[in-house]
Every structure is written in structure tokens, then in C-alpha cells.
Amino acid sequence: MEPIKCLIIGSGPAGLTAAIYASRAGLNPVVYEGMQPGGQLTQTTEIENFPGYPDGTTGNEMMEDLHKQAARFGASINWGTATKVDFSKRPFSVTIDDTTEVLAHTVIIATGASAKYLGIADETKYAGNGVSACATCDGFFYRRKTVAVVGGGDTACEEALYLASLCKKVYLIVRRDVLRASQVMQQRVMDAENIEVLFNHQTLGLTGDGVVEGANLIKFKGTDKEEQVHIDIDGFFLGIGHKPNSDVFKPFIECDEAGYIITQGKSQQTNIEGIYAAGDVADPTYRQAITSAGTGCKAAIEAERYLRDKGL
Ligand code: NDP
């Protein structure tokens, strides 16, 4: 099997930007899209903060455009998820979907991050029956119904606002007495007539006969004002952040405690020369489409320089 010059794992803004740069540099990159082609942006609604779109765009449109742009310069974009890697030998070995082994002189890891769950048993019990981590994917099923969103960051606010446009009522369950979200998102949430923010509330469990019909919450947990609260809801949405998709690489690639891949200084290189990480899988701080695209670009430039230096 002939090794390829550059393998890109993941197809969000980081992976596809890396593919654009790598293909224009003549590396003939091969991209495997992962479990969620287009990445997390395909699950967001409006994108208003990506430079160059004065009227905004949607996540799906942006990812389709990036896909076309990468394909236009010859990137090979394929279905498939990396299920095993061996980075102890060169060329590096990556197994796709447990079946196909790809050998590559450089690898760009751009596998992004996935939604986090609270870890309560009822999330599993009602999975697909009222519990969701993606308002854009599942909101449609809750038209004119009542739902709850957990979290106080931009994700939770965005989910709540999206659901508020479809649903009769949206509860936003916030564990502290403040929202963490950006000021503009906070304001929109506060201005929405059908969103009720439940500050200082945590979720104990869900109720319902086969499908979610309610949630048991605890207010002011651990204080003398502590009380139990029940809300009637038809859907329960998670918006509490994300976990980096780095597990498969961990035997070889250095990660921090939360699982984010550690890159070297200002570079996108991992602890292994020739292997780079870009986008949310290596970014606990910014996690924006624009910063992901920027690191994808850097990773591809570094891969190209490495290959040139090594005469590969
Ligand atoms: P964040 O980490 O910013 O927020 C997570 C939220 O969930 C916090 O309010 C946190 O509470 C809460 N939370 C975490 N764990 C639990 C738990 N076990 N129980 C209850 N609540 C919990 O994640 P986001 O996904 O919201 O945002 C990540 C990054 O992406 C941010 O930089 C954000 O700005 C960006 N983003 C930007 C968007 C945009 O610009 N349109 C859209 C979405 C995300 P606490 O505050 O108490 O820690």
C-alpha cells in the first residue's frame, strides 16, 4: 500500500480548511469526514460572527461551501471514522471503520468535540424519547410543545432561542445565578417572551411513561433555601458544553486532563513530528469556527513544510 502525503481526520471548519490549503499545496490530501460530516456547525442555526458574511449564513451552507472549495482543489473527501491508529511507526497507520488501513506521512487530527451529558441515568433511559443534545436536529419534533434546555453558556442560549421560535415555552435550567453566555445572547434570551430562565436549578431526574413528560429539579441545592421543583416538559435538551474527540489518539498523542490535544507552542504540531491537531479537539479556549479554520490552515502549512524538509 502506497502511503499518502497527508491524511486529514474530520470535516469541520478545521479539517476542510486544512484540506483546502493542503490540496492547493499539492499534497493530494485524503479527508475522512467522521461521524458528523461537516462537524458541529451543521447543528447550529445562524452564523453571524464569521467574517465575510455581512448578512450571516447557516452552518450547513458554510460547510457545504467549504466542502466544495476543498473538493475543487482535488481533496479526496470520504465517509469514514478513524477507529484505530498506530503512530509508533512511520508512515503513520490509521484504520478507518475497523476495516481500511491508511498509511500517511502526515496526519492532521481535526475531530472536533461532542456534546456533553449530565451523567444522570434518565438521559440514557429517555435517549431518543425526549432527550436530545441538538436543538437544530430535533427541535422540529417539539413544535408548540414545552421543552427545557440545560446550561448557561452560548450553546444553551442558542438552543433555547432556536427552540423558542418553535415551541410554546422553553425553560432554561441554569445551575448558578448567572449566565456564562456572551452579552448579546443573554439579552436575546431575556427578551424572549416564551423563555423562562430558572437560575440556581439543577436537574435530579426526568419523569414520564416511555417518553419525557417532566423533570424534577432542585433549587438552591445545598443551602437552607433548598427545595424540589417539578416542571412539565415534552423535551429535555443538553447545552452544557463539549468533550474533545481525542480518545482514539490518546495512546500516542499527549492530551490535557479534559482530553484536549496539546500542541507545541504557537505550532499545531502534537508531541509527534508530522502529526498536527486543529480545531476544537485541541482548543479548550476559543472554540469558534474562525479559530478552527485558522488552526486548520496552520496545520496544513506545517505539514507541507515538514514533508518538504523530509523530502517526502
Ligand atoms: P460553556 O463551557 O461556555 O458553557 C457551559 C454551560 O453549561 C455553563 O453555563 C455551565 O455552567 C453549564 N454546565 C456545565 N456542566 C453542567 C452541569 N453538569 N450541570 C448544569 N450545568 C452545567 O460551553 P458552550 O458550549 O456554551 O460554549 C463553548 C464555547 O463556544 C464558548 O466559547 C462559546 O462562546 C462558544 N459558542 C459560541 C456560539 C456563538 O457565538 N454563536 C454558539 C455556541 C458556542 P457554569 O457557568 O456554572 O459553569
Side-chain angles (χ1 to χ4, degrees):
M1 187 194 334
E2 270 297 293
I4 60 170
K5 286 190 173 186
C6 180
L7 173 66
I8 299 170
I9 310 174
S11 58
L16 290 180
T17 303
I20 293 168
Y21 274 77
S23 46
R24 291 188 81 252
L27 307 188
N28 302 317
V30 173
V31 180
Y32 279 93
E33 293 190 302
M35 278 190 279
Q36 192 178 67
Q40 293 171 77
L41 278 191
T42 57
Q43 302 197 345
T44 65
T45 45
E46 285 285 297
I47 298 176
E48 295 176 330
N49 50 10
F50 200 95
Y53 294 90
D55 301 318
T57 182
T58 68
N60 276 318
E61 261 170 22
M62 184 187 279
M63 295 324 299
E64 275 168 29
D65 285 348
L66 275 173
H67 189 291
K68 276 190 221 152
Q69 198 174 348
R72 179 181 152 210
F73 296 112
S76 158
I77 304 174
N78 308 277
W79 283 87
T81 301
T83 48
K84 195 174 142 223
V85 301
D86 184 351
F87 292 159
S88 66
K89 57 181 186 188
R90 288 170 195 263
F92 305 114
S93 161
V94 175
T95 304
I96 305 295
D97 294 336
D98 295 321
T99 50
T100 313
E101 188 188 21
V102 180
L103 298 178
H105 292 303
T106 63
V107 177
I108 297 176
I109 301 170
T111 44
S114 301
K116 271 194 211 162
Y117 284 77
L118 293 172
I120 56 173
D122 288 340
E123 287 168 323
T124 320
K125 182 175 168 192
Y126 295 101
N129 290 307
V131 173
S132 167
C134 177
T136 339
C137 318
D138 301 326
F140 184 76
F141 304 116
Y142 299 92
R143 275 169 304 158
R144 293 182 285 281
K145 295 189 174 176
T146 299
V147 298
V149 177
V150 189
D154 279 320
T155 299
C157 289
E158 195 174 72
E159 300 235 319
L161 287 163
Y162 177 74
L163 290 164
S165 68
L166 298 168
C167 301
K168 188 168 72 185
K169 170 150 189 166
V170 179
Y171 291 104
L172 186 60
I173 305 170
V174 183
R175 67 178 171 184
R176 290 188 295 144
D177 58 354
V178 286
L179 292 171
R180 181 191 286 270
S182 54
Q183 209 54 46
V184 59
M185 295 299 270
Q186 290 195 28
Q187 196 55 51
R188 283 183 198 167
V189 164
M190 293 306 175
D191 289 346
E193 279 177 3
N194 58 344
I195 300 180
E196 182 179 340
V197 185
L198 302 175
F199 286 112
N200 300 301
H201 282 69
Q202 292 184 41
T203 311
L204 291 175
L206 302 171
T207 58
D209 187 9
V211 294
V212 170
E213 291 169 13
N216 290 326
L217 312 177
I218 185 158
K219 188 177 177 185
F220 293 123
K221 189 178 176 196
T223 72
D224 51 6
K225 289 190 283 180
E226 180 174 307
E227 63 173 299
Q228 290 211 17
V229 178
H230 179 85
I231 52 172
D232 290 327
I233 50 168
D234 305 292
F236 183 78
F237 287 81
L238 282 309
I240 60 167
H242 295 84
K243 175 186 177 296
N245 297 322
S246 59
D247 287 353
V248 71
F249 309 109
K250 278 183 182 163
F252 303 94
I253 298 294
E254 254 174 50
C255 297
D256 71 9
E257 281 166 15
Y260 289 96
I261 294 178
I262 297 170
T263 51
Q264 315 293 307
K266 287 184 180 173
S267 136
Q268 297 309 125
Q269 193 192 287
T270 65
N271 55 308
I272 300 179
E273 206 187 3
I275 301 185
Y276 308 88
D280 284 13
V281 73
D283 178 9
T285 313
Y286 303 105
R287 296 178 286 191
Q288 303 296 304
I290 184 73
T291 47
S292 288
T295 53
C297 156
K298 283 172 65 186
I301 290 175
E302 289 173 31
E304 194 269 326
R305 287 184 186 158
Y306 166 84
L307 290 165
R308 189 155 26 97
D309 286 352
K310 300 283 175 198
L312 291 166

